[in-house]
């Protein structure tokens, strides 16, 4: 679709809690129009569609067959993403897929193959990349300001109560959630870390279930080795009350920096540049983040930017800013951490 005036029609697949964020974000983007939704729970689906004044599809096939739909956001449970994203992409429509893109590399590769087959466009919800703090940090890394990178780490020490897992039926399960704290909550920080400094080469991890009754882990610690020789750590948890903000630390032999929920809290370099003193005062930073103690306590700003970008990508015939191939890297790193914990060994990360 190349028109710059016609609205891009969106549908939402999956009508649970996160679907409301998608609906509000779509309405906040000029040129995007929320047309309808489909979900596997009829009562929930009907209530969602009535609340939002949109069409209710009684099957995925009906949604795909509607010519008003140019794109769909996928908001189903994580392990069901491929089941709906594949047919939508094969039909030539665009998809914005919630994180994680799916929970196994086999499922992710099926989604990527469907994108090629249908010549559609696939984007993933990794909104942390759009933050002003993350963008500043990425520019400094790419400019070589840190010198040789030495330690590159991510910390997601969050809290979820037992009800979060006990009332969902799928969260914290290996089959549908794909894991626990690392796959569900930690995936944002995992993506951000690998986007900033590249994919680690090897990992060694331990995980445990310490504060909840659930199948998968609520606490994980992993050590990383990057191809450059730099080392790092990932700590991911939903077991640390009351929950801390997401934190990324990057250090090298010429500088160190830290972002906390996208706000720069440390910015020190051996070679100072103009504007460095203003980085810590950046009022635009910190707008994308949240969720340390409450999954609902997030802004729609990140989703809005991703939908805005997908609308532009459809009109301009280009790839989205967070393509599926990038989303695959986060899953490769997470699966390597789980494999390491299960085997009690160092594991190479799939490329």
């Amino acid at each position: 679709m190349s028109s710059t005036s016609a609205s891009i029609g969106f549908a939402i697949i999956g009508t649970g809690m996160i679907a409301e964020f998608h609906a509000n974000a779509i309405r906040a983007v000029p040129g995007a129009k929320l047309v309808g939704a489909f979900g596997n729970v009829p009562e929930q689906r009907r209530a969602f569609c009535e609340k939002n004044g949109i069409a209710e599809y009684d099957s995925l096939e009906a949604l795909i067959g509607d010519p008003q739909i140019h794109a769909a956001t996928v908001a189903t449970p994580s392990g069901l993403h491929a089941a709906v994203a594949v047919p939508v992409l094969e039909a030539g429509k665009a998809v914005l897929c919630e994180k994680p893109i799916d929970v196994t590399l086999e499922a992710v590769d099926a989604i990527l193959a469907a994108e090629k087959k249908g010549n559609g466009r696939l984007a993933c919800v990794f909104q942390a990349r759009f933050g002003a703090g993350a963008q500043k940090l990425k520019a400094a890394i790419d400019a070589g300001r840190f010198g040789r990178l030495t330690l590159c780490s991510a910390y997601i020490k969050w809290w979820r109560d037992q009800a979060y897992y006990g009332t969902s039926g799928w969260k914290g399960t290996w089959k549908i959630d794909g894991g626990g704290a690392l796959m569900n909550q930690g995936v944002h920080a995992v993506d951000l870390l690998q986007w900033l400094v590249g994919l680690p080469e090897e990992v060694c991890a331990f995980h445990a279930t310490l504060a909840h009754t659930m199948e998968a882990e609520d606490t994980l610690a992993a050590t990383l080795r990057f191809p450059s020789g730099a080392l790092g750590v990932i700590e991911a948890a939903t077991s640390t009350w009351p929950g801390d903000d997401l934190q990324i630390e990057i250090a090298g032999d010429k500088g160190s920096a830290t972002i906390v929920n996208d706000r720069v809290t440390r910015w020190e370099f051996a070679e100072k540049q103009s504007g460095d003193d203003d980085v810590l005062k950046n009022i635009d930073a910190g707008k994308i983040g949240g969720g340390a103690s409450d999954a609902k306590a997030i802004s729609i700003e990140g989703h809005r930017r991703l939908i805005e970008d997908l609308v532009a990508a459809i009109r301009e015939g280009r790839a989205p800013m967070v393509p599926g191939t990038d989303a695959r890297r986060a899953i490769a790193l997470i699966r390597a951490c789980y494999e390491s914990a299960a085997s009690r060994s160092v594991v190479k990360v799939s490329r």
Side-chain angles (χ1 to χ4, degrees):
M1 185 174 185
S2 58
S3 172
T4 58
S5 57
S7 293
I8 303 297
F10 275 81
I12 298 173
I13 304 173
T15 53
M17 181 271 291
I18 197 65
E20 289 292 346
F21 290 87
H22 286 243
N24 291 332
I26 291 167
R27 280 192 287 264
V29 175
K33 180 182 179 182
L34 180 57
V35 176
F38 167 71
N40 282 324
V41 183
E43 299 82 5
Q44 183 187 70
R45 177 183 73 215
R46 189 165 302 114
F48 177 82
C49 292
E50 288 177 356
K51 176 182 178 181
N52 287 279
I54 57 176
E56 177 190 353
Y57 300 101
D58 60 7
S59 69
L60 183 62
E61 291 73 21
L63 182 154
I64 292 171
D66 187 343
Q68 295 184 82
I69 302 301
H70 309 109
T73 66
V74 173
T76 61
S78 304
L80 304 178
H81 286 174
V84 296
V86 165
V88 174
L89 287 164
E90 285 183 341
K93 300 179 187 289
V95 164
L96 173 64
C97 189
E98 262 297 338
K99 59 78 186 172
I101 185 171
D102 207 294
V103 300
T104 68
L105 287 175
E106 293 77 12
V108 175
D109 287 340
I111 295 173
L112 296 178
E115 179 187 24
K116 287 185 178 180
K117 181 178 179 181
N119 197 30
R121 285 177 179 80
L122 171 64
C124 193
V125 177
F126 282 135
Q127 66 266 41
R129 296 186 183 193
F130 288 84
Q135 292 285 330
K136 279 281 187 186
L137 190 52
K138 177 66 169 173
I141 292 167
D142 290 348
R145 295 200 64 195
F146 291 87
R148 180 172 185 177
L149 293 174
T150 54
L151 283 171
C152 307
S153 301
Y155 305 92
I156 321 96
K157 295 188 282 190
W158 287 5
W159 170 252
R160 294 291 183 268
D161 61 20
Q162 183 60 42
Y164 173 83
Y165 294 105
T167 59
S168 76
W170 65 274
K171 289 173 182 172
T173 65
W174 288 109
K175 183 177 181 180
I176 305 300
D177 210 1
L182 184 63
M183 181 67 83
N184 191 312
Q185 286 76 25
V187 66
H188 281 296
V190 169
D191 173 72
L192 196 53
L193 186 64
Q194 72 83 24
W195 174 67
L196 289 167
V197 297
L199 199 60
E201 189 170 64
E202 293 181 310
V203 302
C204 183
F206 291 93
H207 64 54
T209 309
L210 301 176
H212 301 92
T213 300
M214 56 189 283
E215 279 186 11
E217 90 290 349
D218 64 7
T219 311
L220 180 142
T223 54
L224 318 172
R225 187 173 72 83
F226 293 86
S228 66
L231 304 178
V233 170
I234 294 174
E235 292 182 8
T238 54
S239 60
T240 57
W241 186 92
D244 290 330
D245 290 332
L246 186 157
Q247 181 167 314
I248 301 289
E249 295 180 356
I250 304 298
D253 61 3
K254 292 184 179 179
S256 295
T258 301
I259 57 173
V260 179
N261 256 12
D262 193 52
R263 184 169 294 281
V264 180
T265 60
R266 186 182 188 190
W267 193 259
E268 298 182 69
F269 296 96
E271 297 179 6
K272 199 167 182 178
Q273 292 184 2
S274 174
D276 278 350
D277 291 340
D278 295 328
V279 172
L280 296 175
K281 305 173 187 175
N282 191 338
I283 60 173
D284 291 327
K287 290 185 177 180
I288 297 177
S293 58
D294 181 358
K296 298 178 182 178
I298 61 173
S299 164
I300 69 163
E301 178 60 18
H303 287 79
R304 186 198 67 76
R305 294 190 196 185
L306 285 161
I307 291 164
E308 182 178 63
D309 173 67
L310 184 55
V311 167
I314 293 170
R315 287 178 169 161
E316 297 166 12
R318 61 166 174 82
M321 290 179 67
V322 188
T325 48
D326 279 18
R328 186 189 191 279
R329 297 188 190 110
I331 305 308
L333 178 48
I334 290 171
R335 297 310 311 180
C337 288
Y338 286 152
E339 182 183 342
S340 172
S343 64
R344 299 289 180 106
S345 64
V346 176
V347 169
K348 287 190 177 295
V349 181
S350 172
R351 258 30 192 194

